[in-house]
């Protein structure tokens, strides 16, 4: 699930959380995974082991029951991935999950990731889930605290000092201050997973997240400054009858793929659905926002690149219900690349 996007080294990478095989919510074969492709939309090629299973790009810390990506950016030539580490899923309802987070640093050629020794955020942090925007040499970090029950906060740091927590400054509501405790909400919502980019089309900072206070609804907030004020638009609600939604329910994620400076209204997002526990790439038309017309144009299975239609559950049932054929190549694309995993 998840499909957190990262533009790095001229390519599009996607990070997944738990990777399952053998039926809906089946057997976990990897606790996190990474793959890449270009251009979009595309069939993602995943880093795999000799058995065709995804390779975990980071080992789980002790006493963690889930270790999943939350956001990513490129800075100083490195990739940075924000990771949420769950210690207690509670009863699964918003606000009942206990998790802490860490920042991973990735280096290319060969690709490998290590945890930054200084960037950890505790269970009660306002940045358990976070995503990052890099512009003009500054990293803006948009975060949420209590899982799926939190407003949005923002911090900033010069890109060369991203791993120096002491250099971080937090928006207080009127200025940038020291110490996470001074951070004030910039967006009122009840969210968990969060995404943020600088949009060349809007020429604005854009934040997207699901609000779980009612019917799960994905909103897009836009502002000319990194701190607001924000305009809000509905991007997706689970009540919308898109034809490709056949067999899908329980949406979450809603990650914006960075546009790499392309000013066109065509943009991609990744959405996950609890049923069938799978990630999809959604092609959107930003020019439709506010018109009353559907923003989503097309949907593609992230692992195969197949475009979804109302007939997809019949023509490709494993895309939706993970009917295991016993041949893992049907589910995972092989590459000759290897991944060094830090323990």
């Amino acid at each position: 699930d998840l499909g957190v996007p990262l533009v790095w080294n001229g390519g599009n990478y996607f990070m997944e959380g738990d990777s399952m095989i053998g039926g809906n919510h089946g057997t976990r074969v990897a606790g996190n995974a990474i793959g890449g492709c270009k251009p979009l939309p595309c069939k993602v090629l995943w880093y795999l082991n000799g058995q065709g299973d995804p390779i975990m790009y980071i080992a789980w810390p002790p006493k963690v029951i889930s270790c999943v990506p939350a956001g990513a950016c490129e800075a100083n030539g490195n990739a940075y991935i924000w990771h949420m580490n769950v210690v207690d899923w509670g009863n699964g309802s918003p606000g009942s999950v206990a998790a802490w987070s860490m920042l991973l640093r990735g280096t290319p050629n060969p690709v490998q990731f290590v945890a930054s020794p200084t960037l950890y955020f505790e269970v009660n942090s306002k940045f358990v889930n976070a995503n990052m925007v890099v512009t003009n040499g500054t990293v803006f970090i948009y975060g949420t605290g209590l899982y799926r029950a939190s407003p949005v906060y923002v911090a900033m740091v010069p890109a060369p000092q991203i791993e120096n927590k002491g250099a971080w400054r937090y928006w207080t509501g009127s200025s940038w201050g020291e110490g996470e405790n001074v951070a004030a909400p910039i967006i009122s919502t009840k969210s968990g997973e969060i995404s943020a980019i600088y949009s060349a089309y809007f020429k604005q900072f854009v934040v997207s997240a699901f609000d779980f206070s009612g019917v799960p609804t994905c909103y897009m907030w836009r502002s000319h400054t990194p701190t607001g004020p924000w305009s809000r638009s509905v991007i997706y609600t689970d009540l919308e009858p898109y034809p490709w939604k056949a067999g899908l329910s329980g949406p979450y994620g809603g990650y914006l793929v960075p546009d790499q400076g392309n000013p066109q209204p065509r943009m991609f997002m990744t959405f996950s659905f609890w049923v069938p526990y799978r990630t999809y790439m959604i092609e959107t038309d930003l020019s439709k926002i506010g018109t009353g017309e559907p923003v989503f144009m097309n949907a593609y299975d992230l692992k195969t690149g197949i475009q979804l239609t109302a007939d997809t559950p019949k023509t490709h049932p494993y895309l939706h219900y993970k009917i295991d054929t016993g041949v893992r190549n049907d589910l995972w694309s092989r590459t000759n690349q290897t991944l060094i995993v830090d323990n």
Side-chain angles (χ1 to χ4, degrees), residues 165-185:
K165 197 173 181 180
W168 286 40
R169 297 294 180 264
Y170 304 83
W171 185 249
T172 67
S174 59
S175 62
W176 296 102
E178 296 185 36
E180 185 186 334
N181 62 302
V182 306

Side-chain angles (χ1 to χ4, degrees), residues 45-333:
L45 299 177
W46 301 90
Y47 289 98
L48 307 174
N49 60 23
Q51 288 72 52
D53 293 329
I55 298 174
M56 289 173 57
Y57 56 84
I58 193 72
W60 286 15
K63 301 181 180 179
V64 164
I65 60 175
S66 191
C67 174
V68 298
C73 74
E74 179 178 5
N76 316 317
N78 297 324
Y80 287 95
I81 307 176
W82 201 277
H83 250 251
M84 181 179 78
N85 303 299
V86 179
V87 294
D88 185 356
W89 279 112
N91 61 14
S93 64
S96 68
V97 176
W100 58 277
S101 57
M102 62 186 180
L103 187 68
L104 309 183
R105 181 198 324 115
T107 53
N109 305 318
V111 175
Q112 59 182 340
F113 291 88
V114 297
S116 170
T118 58
L119 264 296
Y120 288 85
F121 291 80
E122 302 298 334
V123 170
N124 61 352
S125 170
K126 299 173 181 177
F127 292 83
V128 171
N129 266 263
N131 221 314
M132 299 159 283
V133 178
V134 183
T135 180
N136 297 323
T138 299
V139 182
F140 295 97
I141 306 98
Y142 293 87
T144 60
L146 199 59
Y147 187 60
R148 294 187 177 177
S150 173
V152 178
Y153 303 88
V154 65
M156 60 87 72
V157 64
Q161 298 189 66
I162 187 172
E163 295 184 55
N164 177 7
K165 197 173 181 180
W168 286 40
R169 297 294 180 264
Y170 304 83
W171 185 249
T172 67
S174 59
S175 62
W176 296 102
E178 296 185 36
E180 185 186 334
N181 62 302
V182 306
I186 61 167
I187 296 174
S188 179
T189 180
K190 291 186 177 179
S191 297
E193 297 93 346
I194 185 171
S195 183
I197 65 170
Y198 184 83
S199 168
Y201 173 73
F202 289 120
K203 295 183 173 60
Q204 290 178 305
F205 290 87
V206 175
V207 172
S208 70
F210 270 89
D211 187 329
F212 288 93
S213 59
V215 174
T217 300
C218 186
Y219 291 103
M220 177 181 285
W221 293 269
R222 309 196 312 268
S223 174
H224 289 288
T225 75
T227 59
W230 302 89
S231 63
R232 189 183 78 168
S233 304
V234 174
I235 292 297
Y236 176 88
T237 173
D238 210 24
L239 300 177
E240 293 180 86
Y242 286 106
W244 51 262
K245 267 186 59 181
L248 307 181
S249 62
Y252 58 101
Y255 292 100
L256 305 160
V257 179
D259 60 24
Q260 302 187 61
N262 186 338
Q264 300 303 311
R266 181 173 179 255
M267 186 187 73
F268 291 91
M269 302 179 71
T270 56
F271 274 72
S272 294
F273 287 85
W274 186 247
V275 177
Y277 201 69
R278 202 167 177 94
T279 307
Y280 301 92
M281 185 180 298
I282 311 296
E283 185 178 2
T284 67
D285 184 348
L286 299 179
S287 69
K288 303 296 186 184
I289 292 178
T291 67
E293 298 182 56
V295 175
F296 286 2
M297 299 166 57
N298 299 299
Y300 305 85
D301 181 75
L302 189 65
K303 293 179 176 64
T304 64
I306 293 174
Q307 184 172 346
L308 304 190
T309 70
D311 293 327
T312 304
K314 302 173 186 177
T315 58
H316 295 86
Y318 71 87
L319 292 184
H320 288 270
Y321 303 108
K322 292 181 184 283
I323 296 173
D324 190 3
T325 64
V327 182
R328 290 187 176 179
N329 283 353
D330 288 350
L331 297 178
W332 304 103
S333 304

